[in-house]
Amino acid sequence: MEIWGMPVRDILKYITSGEISATEVLECYLNAIREADPEINAFIDVLEPTARMDASRVDALLREGDSPGPLAGLPVAIKDNICVKGARCTCGSKILENWISPYDATVIKLLRDQGAVIVGKTNLDEFAMGSSTETSAYGITRNPWDLRRVPGGSSGGSAAAVAAGMAPLALGTDTGGSIRQPASFSGVCGLKPTYGLVSRYGVTAYASSLDTVGPFGETVWDCALLLEAIAGHDPLDATSAAGEPAAYTKRLEGSVRGLRVGIPRELLNGVSAQVRELFDNTLSTMEDMGMIVEEMSIPPVAHAVEAYYVIAAAEASSNLSRFDGVRFGRRAPAGTLDEMYTKSRGEGLGKEVVKRILLGTFVLDSGNKDRYFMRAARVRTLIKREFEKAFDNFDLIVSPASPDVAFKIGEKIEDLLTMYLADLITIPVNMAGLCALSMPMGFVDCDGAALPCGLQIIGKPFDEPAVLKAGYLLEQEIEAGIREEVSSMRRKLNPVRECELVD
Amino acid sequence: MEIDVKRIAHLARIDIDPQDEKVVAGELELILARINKLFEVDVEGVPPSFTLGEAPVDLAEDVPHESLCRELVMECAPSVHNGYFKVPRESQGV
């Protein structure tokens, strides 16, 4: 039986029936990491010893006839800004190079309680600030579809790990598109949950009014499964929403006939011709499935990027003040307390992070707060209101998940504004606290490589069931071609397979 | 608007190489020029949004509860003395 490349649903079925063990599944993925990661650099740390213990625990429970939980033995890769007890949590930064987390984030506790195997910590833009995974202090992550290109960011390591078959599932964080854009660039599914649905306790804060934690998977079903495991109220996170989350995997089937789908013109500005063509084809498929697709407008969205960079930078400047060399992380030798703060931060934080902290400090400085921060917060109200109005007339809103396919390494790192503006498609969802799925919709030929491109399906707050259902049913229509391309890409990355067959 | 990087960096307690100040100022001014587009939006009478939840924040009961292991937390610190975080003096000669 070939484990590698097997759908997550089947892996789960065979583990729980005892036909394969969690340990065999883990070893198969560890082999894939050994083969492919030297080229891709998706992982900062692979947690081999503890992952083996997790897998043995699952196998022992199954042998005794107990249930290990709904994620029985599934390896999950974790973005390295989420705390895993006993493992480093670097956030892609030198300042936390040797910091080992003394506790599990709530999402990690939930995964462990449900039988998941924590396989490793994945690379990210430093403190999740970036769209390419190029600003990590632990090297650039490469896109498995074309190693000359970025995997997107900031959760580029998690997206690349799933794309290359180094982990069947992964967790990422999304503050302005950091799950959806890398999912699009890397040809996998990623979901940004509604603000408050998933606990952020134990997740390094970037911009607290925007940060969310969400799943990556190969398919929409995989994302629904992982979301089911991590969603729910957490008393340790004051912004955690009350109420029971839905059984997402059980609400995927049915019909989407008659569903009203809006296409905001503002989110199509700057979309490349090739991506637009794919998007239009996808809209035709959605119409064939009975959805009613209509162009519409959400004018304040045009200013979402500007408002986002003020709010996110302001919150980051406050949140990252904790990295001062006192309680954790790197401390520079210094004679006075003030010198210790400034040197520890100057030496430990990277260029992009420093820039955003300075921008945040500037917009919060006396005299600037009303001019910039308060104005951005008012624009945010307008964005929220307009989305509320839009959802009176539409069940879902869709757009491409990124204006173009993955760009080349180094191509945009010096052109900050272009990089920032490329996030226009994803940022409004965070500004309004909505949920959104990014799923592959096809491929674009670029320099001899087939590069994936994602569709974004946006839903009302807490309407993940509708978003996932539409994505799942659409996936059935377009999946076949996508699976073939994925298999062919992975075979190129992993020429030697040592752990394919299990009797 | 010209940004005084030296002053902002001092407020943020980040040591910046004086040679880099001009480059950083240029990059921030470029971003700020874009941010200034916010002034094109009419926000008269619009209240600001600082958070997304409609409901008030669910504050925890003010009762003792189990927390992180103190020893483990202190082990993460760069310098500890008698169970407390140790830092240099506020200023030399005091």
Side-chain angles (χ1 to χ4, degrees):
Chain A
M1 193 187 296
E2 189 171 346
I3 298 172
W4 195 65
M6 189 187 277
V8 164
R9 248 197 267 214
D10 292 348
I11 298 179
L12 257 184
K13 187 172 75 186
Y14 291 128
I15 291 179
T16 42
S17 67
E19 283 168 82
I20 53 176
S21 70
T23 302
E24 285 165 336
V25 170
L26 173 66
E27 292 303 330
C28 180
Y29 281 99
L30 289 176
N31 267 340
I33 293 171
R34 272 193 287 274
E35 285 174 11
D37 208 41
E39 281 199 289
I40 292 171
N41 192 35
F43 285 90
I44 291 179
D45 286 321
V46 180
L47 307 174
E48 280 197 41
T50 48
R52 288 200 173 102
M53 282 160 62
D54 287 348
S56 307
R57 200 175 310 122
V58 169
D59 288 334
L61 283 170
L62 285 165
R63 272 197 305 275
E64 287 157 20
D66 292 333
S67 168
L71 298 177
L74 287 179
V76 185
I78 308 295
K79 187 176 181 180
D80 200 25
N81 59 351
I82 301 174
C83 287
V84 173
K85 189 174 179 176
R88 284 201 302 170
C89 187
T90 70
C91 295
S93 181
K94 268 196 300 191
I95 206 163
L96 289 174
E97 193 172 6
N98 298 311
W99 187 69
I100 294 174
S101 172
Y103 69 109
D104 273 334
T106 295
V107 286
I108 300 300
K109 192 176 177 309
L110 288 167
L111 291 182
R112 287 192 200 284
D113 290 349
Q114 293 175 69
V117 172
I118 308 300
V119 72
K121 304 294 294 288
T122 57
N123 203 8
L124 67 157
D125 281 297
E126 187 176 359
F127 286 108
M129 296 180 194
S131 312
S132 63
T133 319
E134 288 171 289
T135 70
S136 168
Y138 303 89
I140 293 165
T141 297
R142 294 172 184 275
N143 190 317
W145 294 91
D146 179 349
L147 299 173
R148 295 165 299 176
R149 293 175 189 270
V150 303
S154 64
S155 313
S158 288
V162 173
M166 295 190 279
L169 300 168
L171 285 187
T173 59
D174 191 317
T175 302
S178 284
I179 288 177
R180 290 158 289 153
Q181 182 254 28
S184 176
F185 280 13
S186 303
V188 296
C189 295
L191 183 104
K192 178 239 171 272
T194 304
Y195 185 83
L197 181 66
V198 177
S199 165
R200 290 133 9 125
Y201 177 72
V203 180
T204 312
Y206 161 18
S208 305
S209 76
L210 301 158
D211 293 341
T212 53
V213 181
F216 282 99
E218 257 187 70
T219 67
V220 176
W221 189 89
D222 301 354
C223 280
L225 177 76
L226 197 49
L227 181 67
E228 216 162 271
I230 59 173
H233 178 68
D234 178 13
L236 296 174
D237 177 354
T239 60
S240 172
E244 283 293 305
Y248 303 104
T249 52
K250 298 197 169 55
R251 294 178 61 178
L252 297 171
E253 301 288 351
S255 166
V256 282
R257 190 157 290 282
L259 213 65
R260 298 159 306 163
V261 178
I263 321 293
R265 278 177 216 110
E266 293 79 8
L267 297 190
L268 298 178
N269 288 338
V271 170
S272 76
Q274 286 173 301
V275 172
R276 182 63 201 253
E277 195 186 328
L278 263 182
F279 180 63
D280 288 343
N281 291 343
T282 309
L283 293 183
S284 300
T285 308
M286 293 169 85
E287 283 177 324
D288 293 343
M289 292 166 71
M291 295 187 230
I292 302 155
V293 176
E294 200 181 305
E295 252 198 54
M296 38 85 90
S297 178
I298 309 181
V301 156
H303 294 283
V305 173
E306 292 93 81
Y308 170 84
Y309 274 96
V310 170
I311 291 167
E315 293 185 15
S317 73
S318 168
N319 276 326
L320 270 68
S321 63
R322 74 194 60 182
F323 301 108
D324 56 6
V326 176
R327 288 154 297 163
F328 33 63
R330 189 187 181 108
R331 173 185 291 192
T336 66
L337 185 62
D338 224 35
E339 195 189 345
M340 188 200 80
Y341 291 148
T342 54
K343 278 193 170 172
S344 299
R345 288 161 67 74
E347 289 173 13
L349 299 171
K351 257 174 69 178
E352 180 63 25
V353 172
V354 167
K355 206 178 302 160
R356 294 198 198 196
I357 291 176
L358 294 181
L359 180 65
T361 308
F362 176 80
V363 299
L364 290 176
D365 194 10
S366 56
N368 288 343
K369 192 180 162 196
D370 280 343
R371 185 176 165 81
Y372 293 109
F373 184 71
M374 296 301 281
R375 176 167 281 267
R378 291 192 165 89
V379 171
R380 185 178 193 174
T381 304
L382 292 176
I383 294 169
K384 277 170 65 179
R385 281 182 185 168
E386 286 296 318
F387 268 108
E388 279 162 17
K389 270 196 239 164
F391 279 118
D392 285 340
N393 299 316
F394 296 96
D395 300 299
L396 297 170
I397 291 170
V398 304
S399 74
S402 174
D404 210 341
V405 291
F407 48 86
K408 286 195 175 140
I409 291 167
E411 191 178 298
K412 289 194 178 165
I413 196 75
E414 300 301 334
D415 184 4
L416 275 182
L417 267 188
T418 315
M419 183 110 93
Y420 287 5
L421 290 173
D423 296 338
L424 171 67
I425 283 182
T426 49
I427 278 173
V429 170
N430 301 74
M431 294 292 275
L434 310 170
C435 58
L437 172 74
S438 171
M439 59 178 283
M441 63 176 173
F443 296 85
V444 163
D445 282 326
C446 219
D447 288 347
L451 297 177
C453 183
L455 172 77
Q456 175 173 238
I457 306 178
I458 305 170
K460 284 179 268 218
F462 303 103
D463 207 9
E464 279 83 358
V467 166
L468 289 164
K469 180 178 173 180
Y472 177 80
L473 294 172
L474 178 64
E475 195 178 49
Q476 314 301 309
E477 301 293 319
I478 60 176
E479 191 182 37
I482 290 169
R483 291 294 124 224
E484 273 170 36
E485 291 281 358
V486 169
S487 301
S488 139
M489 175 272 284
R490 286 183 178 173
R491 284 195 157 71
K492 281 183 212 153
L493 285 172
N494 299 62
V496 186
R497 298 248 31 95
E498 294 170 355
C499 187
E500 284 176 349
L501 300 174
V502 175
D503 293 328
Chain B
M1 178 184 278
E2 210 164 278
I3 297 181
D4 182 350
V5 170
K6 202 172 179 172
R7 180 172 174 276
I8 297 294
H10 172 68
L11 288 175
R13 298 293 188 274
I14 298 178
D15 198 14
I16 290 186
D17 190 331
Q19 285 183 322
D20 293 339
E21 278 174 18
K22 216 170 167 185
V23 177
V24 175
E27 287 173 341
L28 290 178
E29 275 157 22
L30 192 72
I31 298 167
L32 208 59
R34 179 73 200 194
I35 284 173
N36 283 338
K37 279 184 168 287
L38 284 176
F39 296 108
E40 293 168 9
V41 188
D42 181 7
V43 291
E44 191 62 40
V46 180
S49 291
F50 302 118
T51 182
L52 292 159
E54 298 296 324
V57 169
D58 187 14
L59 296 176
E61 291 285 313
D62 189 14
V63 289
H65 60 91
E66 205 179 319
S67 187
L68 296 177
C69 166
R70 185 186 168 100
E71 286 71 29
L72 264 181
V73 171
M74 298 312 277
E75 267 177 32
C76 305
S79 182
V80 173
H81 181 70
N82 286 343
Y84 293 95
F85 299 114
K86 189 181 171 189
V87 295
R89 285 169 178 276
E90 179 65 36
S91 65
Q92 273 177 333
V94 174

